[in-house]
Amino acid sequence: MANAEVESFENYALGAATFDLSGLPKEYFSLVDGSKSIIWVQPIFQAIGLKSLLAASLSLDTFNYVVIRGNDYTALVVRQQSCYLAILLEPTNEAIDEKLINWARQFDTSKLKKHPRFQVM
């Protein structure tokens, strides 16, 4: 995915999750014809919680993004204005490029509820 053009959400995403700014999960989205497992959400929840703990104890204010790599997935987590957005991607050893990160920061999460390829879990 490095240096790839981010044409649309459906080209890369296998799922998505939104979290409020305190790190609590809000909604999960999976492919209509894909796996219904949301096991990948737990490490993201933990990463956001760890970020909050570190920010409080080390006076860190910024959170740009985090990439979580599992055996079966890669997840990109970005902070948006009113939530955290986690996007589930195919597992890859490639770097996540700045274009995808910027796209994720600007993505309108309300589109997930109406997207024909995804369902709310």
Side-chain angles (χ1 to χ4, degrees):
M1 188 161 343
N3 301 318
E5 289 294 322
V6 181
E7 295 172 11
S8 65
F9 180 71
E10 57 266 25
N11 285 347
Y12 297 112
L14 303 175
T18 57
F19 299 80
D20 66 21
L21 291 178
S22 65
L24 297 174
K26 290 171 52 175
E27 294 180 296
Y28 311 114
F29 301 89
S30 70
L31 292 174
V32 170
D33 58 352
S35 170
K36 305 297 185 248
S37 172
I38 56 169
I39 192 89
W40 60 276
V41 173
Q42 183 64 32
I44 293 167
F45 176 71
Q46 291 170 334
I48 293 171
L50 179 59
K51 172 259 174 213
S52 297
L53 178 64
L54 289 172
S57 61
L58 299 175
S59 299
L60 300 174
D61 293 331
T62 60
F63 176 89
N64 293 320
Y65 69 94
V66 65
V67 177
I68 300 170
R69 297 183 192 282
N71 290 333
D72 301 324
Y73 65 86
T74 295
L76 169 64
V77 184
V78 297
R79 183 172 192 260
Q80 295 188 332
Q81 186 173 3
S82 61
C83 70
Y84 290 101
L85 171 64
I87 301 171
L88 181 67
L89 305 164
E90 289 286 344
T92 178
N93 290 325
E94 297 178 32
I96 301 293
D97 66 14
E98 208 51 43
K99 206 173 249 188
L100 180 59
I101 294 165
N102 289 334
W103 171 83
R105 284 186 185 130
Q106 302 301 316
F107 182 74
D108 179 1
T109 58
S110 68
K111 291 181 180 180
L112 291 169
K113 293 178 186 174
K114 299 174 190 164
H115 201 289
R117 190 166 177 237
F118 294 91
Q119 62 186 352
V120 177
M121 297 294 293

